[in-house]
Structure formats: structure tokens, C-alpha cells
Amino acid sequence: CNGIDALDEILKVKELDFIFVAPTDLSADLGVHGQIRHPSVIQKVEEAGEKIRQAGISAGMLALTPQDYSYWRDRGYNVMSTVAMNMFVDGAQAMMKSIVKYELQGMKRLKQMALK
């Protein structure tokens, strides 16, 4: 698994502030490309994070959802990266849900007014 396999050597580099574990690359190395939540990927990431923290170095991870963020923060990862596209898509979806909810409530009000 390339970097994961060399983690013990990487951890010997004194100048490191943090190590980012790349789950997409790791998933490819493990034969489950793109499946960043696959159990084998999660296990390797958790093991790597533990080693990194034991070495006194900050561990970095990808957080695509609020659940990802919580999951990895709860496991001691303290440097998070995300993808702007996810933030824009999530924001747009939340906006559309709010708009639909508002409009549906407005339709209910109109219906109630018409029945009076």
C-alpha cells in the first residue's frame, strides 16, 4: 500500500507537522478503488492514524460529509480536508430543501385560505 507500507520510515522524518492519509489512493492500492468507506480502507486508516498520533504527529484525513468529519475527529484526526464540490452540492441541496419546504407551506396556507 505504498505510503502506508512506508509509514514507519515516514514517521522518522523530524520535520513533519502532519501526515495526511489519502483514502482514495489507499482504496485503489487495496483493490477497492473509490470505496473510501470500505472496511479494509477504514481499518488501514484507523491503524495509520493511531501510529501517527503515537509518534506525536498530527493526522490528516478527508472529510466529505459531516459524518466523516465527526467519525475521524472522534478517532483523533485533527487536520481535515474536504472537496469544494461537495460543499457546494450540499449547500445547494440544503437550499433547495428549504425552498421546497417554504413553498409547500405556502401552498398549504393558500389552500386553507381558499377553504374559509
Side-chain angles (χ1 to χ4, degrees):
C1 294
N2 302 332
I4 293 290
D5 290 340
L7 185 56
D8 291 331
E9 288 301 311
I10 293 169
L11 290 170
K12 292 177 184 176
V13 177
K14 301 273 188 235
E15 294 82 12
L16 292 176
D17 292 322
F18 78 95
I19 295 176
F20 186 86
V21 180
T24 305
D25 295 343
L26 182 57
S27 71
D29 292 341
L30 294 172
V32 291
H33 192 279
Q35 297 178 49
I36 63 172
R37 293 175 189 88
H38 189 279
S40 62
V41 175
I42 298 292
Q43 179 183 350
K44 287 281 190 182
V45 172
E46 288 180 356
E47 290 170 0
E50 185 62 29
K51 273 188 174 183
I52 294 166
R53 287 186 307 284
Q54 285 179 0
I57 299 171
S58 294
M61 184 55 178
L62 179 66
L64 297 178
T65 66
Q67 294 80 15
D68 288 345
Y69 182 89
S70 300
Y71 184 88
W72 294 114
R73 284 293 288 135
D74 288 346
R75 282 151 184 81
Y77 279 79
N78 54 1
V79 177
M80 295 294 171
S81 178
T82 191
V83 178
M85 184 181 86
N86 286 56
M87 294 172 68
F88 294 131
V89 169
D90 291 348
Q93 287 174 337
M95 178 73 166
M96 289 308 299
K97 285 180 184 177
S98 294
I99 290 170
V100 169
K101 181 179 177 182
Y102 176 83
E103 294 299 334
L104 289 174
Q105 289 172 346
M107 289 171 49
K108 284 181 186 177
R109 285 191 298 273
L110 286 174
K111 199 177 208 181
Q112 289 170 350
M113 288 171 47
L115 294 175
K116 289 183 180 181

